[in-house]
Amino acid sequence: MEGGEEDTRTATTIEFGDHATEGNVGDELPFPTVIVNDPTGAPVSDAFVVWESNDSDVATIGDGVIILQKAGTAKITATFEGDNNYKPSSKSFTVIVTDPNQPGISQDNPYTVAQARAAIDAGTGVTGVYAMGYAVPLGYTYIKWKYTEKVTGNVGLGNIQVVESGTEEKTIITAARWATYVTKHPVQFTYGGAYVVTEATTTKVTLQEVESAPAGTPVLLSSSIDEEYEFSARYSTDADVTAPEVNLLKASNGNVKGGATIYALANQQSGVGFYNVEEGVIIPAGKAYLEIAAETAEAGARPFLAIGGEEATGINAVEQAVKQGVQVFDLQGRRVSQPTKGLYIVNGQKVVVK
């Protein structure tokens, strides 16, 4: 309408009949039956619609059909442009295009195990694809492998279905509320509660909260509840995570032995903290430990190093407590649901939000 005039035309909606939304490359899907209705549900006579694809590489519009060009998805939109009596309207649906020649779509054309692993590392979907091989990588936790059928004439080989096992790493934090962990993949600590050690004195360690970490990063995990808790970290990519600039936590290769500079997290007579590991005791492979500077050890580092002294820091620690239903109070005893900067009490512990 021109000049700010009120549009008094009748509103319309579009209705599709039954139609196909999936097909293979090269297929042609007929347009669905289209009805343009007025607000009473009555069809608008002589209503004409225009068809459009938002990705012509995947699907194009032909004469009465949608032509599927390559694997992917495309949004197909029908638009009624309106006329003197009726307002315009549009409606869309998504078509899914599969390439039957792509490896992994069927048992007749499976991925090799190496190809399947490469697809996982590239971040592409793997649910329902197939792989062939016998070198199943133990501990490769992005995926789990399910044997489906022996291939005649290939001893030791078979079709192996690759099924996505999830999008998160998980570990258990005990009622002691602290645990060390070594990440298996690049991860985002979506709910907070992950720290590295940036400094160690003769009496305590200083923590810095981290939001993400590359694979193989040793971290200290925290829970705000006095019971066993399952900690989750979401899978990410190398490009989207940041390695800590300073981290005194290390990951053992199985050859690390205790000594004056080696500490491990434990819950012993002085409470939860880092305790010096006796000379000759081996730190198991894959476990995290703390290595302090030789100068600190020579200056008389205690056999027990407290975690940050009396106060913990980080807004994520408080937010995590709120999400878990733990009551958080300010210093006046008032319950807090949306913490800002300040000092709070969580399970009897002071928490500083900076």
Side-chain angles (χ1 to χ4, degrees):
M1 307 299 292
E2 298 180 358
E5 297 179 8
E6 182 181 357
D7 189 349
T8 59
R9 294 178 297 172
T10 303
T12 61
T13 58
I14 290 179
E15 178 184 349
F16 291 145
D18 292 338
H19 60 101
T21 58
E22 298 183 16
N24 292 329
V25 172
D27 288 350
E28 296 183 356
L29 306 182
F31 289 155
T33 300
V34 178
I35 302 175
V36 180
N37 294 322
D38 67 17
T40 69
V44 175
S45 60
D46 299 325
F48 179 77
V49 298
V50 176
W51 292 94
E52 183 180 12
S53 168
N54 76 327
D55 191 339
S56 58
D57 289 336
V58 173
T60 56
I61 303 302
D63 185 11
V65 295
I66 304 162
I67 305 170
L68 308 185
Q69 303 287 358
K70 77 169 188 177
T73 61
K75 184 170 74 172
I76 307 300
T77 302
T79 300
F80 170 57
E81 296 182 339
D83 56 26
N84 291 334
N85 298 314
Y86 294 97
K87 295 179 181 179
S89 58
S90 64
K91 188 173 183 178
S92 303
F93 62 90
T94 299
V95 294
I96 302 172
V97 186
T98 301
D99 184 352
N101 297 316
Q102 179 180 344
I105 296 299
S106 70
Q107 294 188 24
D108 296 326
N109 186 24
Y111 277 118
T112 65
V113 171
Q115 288 173 325
R117 288 189 61 175
I120 298 297
D121 289 334
T124 56
V126 296
T127 300
V129 304
Y130 289 82
M132 178 180 291
Y134 60 91
V136 178
L138 296 177
Y140 195 72
T141 55
Y142 273 107
I143 53 177
K144 54 186 177 183
W145 304 78
K146 178 182 178 182
Y147 183 83
T148 57
E149 183 182 352
K150 187 71 177 274
V151 178
T152 304
N154 290 285
V155 177
L157 297 180
N159 286 333
I160 302 172
Q161 186 179 16
V162 184
V163 184
E164 192 171 16
S165 63
T167 58
E168 295 181 328
E169 287 187 18
K170 297 183 178 181
T171 190
I172 297 296
I173 301 177
T174 69
R177 301 195 302 178
W178 293 95
T180 54
Y181 182 69
V182 180
T183 59
K184 296 180 177 64
H185 310 99
V187 292
Q188 299 282 342
F189 298 110
T190 308
Y191 304 110
Y195 303 85
V196 295
V197 176
T198 57
E199 183 182 11
T201 68
T202 57
T203 60
K204 68 177 184 178
V205 297
T206 300
L207 307 183
Q208 178 179 320
E209 191 167 17
V210 291
E211 297 179 351
S212 63
T217 301
V219 292
L220 185 65
L221 304 179
S222 173
S223 168
S224 299
I225 57 178
D226 294 319
E227 59 185 51
E228 189 174 280
Y229 171 71
E230 186 177 60
F231 186 96
S232 299
R234 185 167 295 277
Y235 290 158
S236 187
T237 63
D238 288 330
D240 293 326
V241 299
T242 302
E245 294 183 4
V246 178
N247 189 8
L248 301 185
L249 293 174
K250 310 294 181 184
S252 176
N253 60 6
N255 297 320
V256 178
K257 296 182 179 180
T261 62
I262 304 300
Y263 287 72
L265 183 71
N267 185 12
Q268 297 180 8
Q269 66 274 13
S270 296
V272 180
F274 286 93
Y275 289 80
N276 184 239
V277 180
E278 293 183 4
E279 194 84 30
V281 175
I282 295 176
I283 306 293
K287 298 294 184 180
Y289 65 95
L290 172 68
E291 184 173 13
I292 67 174
E295 295 82 358
T296 304
E298 293 169 359
R302 296 179 181 177
F304 168 74
L305 302 181
I307 299 175
E310 184 183 36
E311 298 176 350
T313 61
I315 190 169
N316 282 337
V318 178
E319 290 177 340
Q320 186 181 29
V322 172
K323 290 177 182 177
Q324 294 167 357
V326 177
Q327 292 187 349
V328 177
F329 300 92
D330 62 17
L331 295 185
Q332 286 73 46
R334 296 171 299 192
R335 187 172 179 180
V336 177
S337 60
Q338 294 181 324
T340 56
K341 292 182 179 180
L343 186 61
Y344 298 90
I345 305 298
V346 181
N347 278 336
Q349 182 184 21
K350 293 181 182 178
V351 179
V352 179
V353 176
K354 297 182 178 180

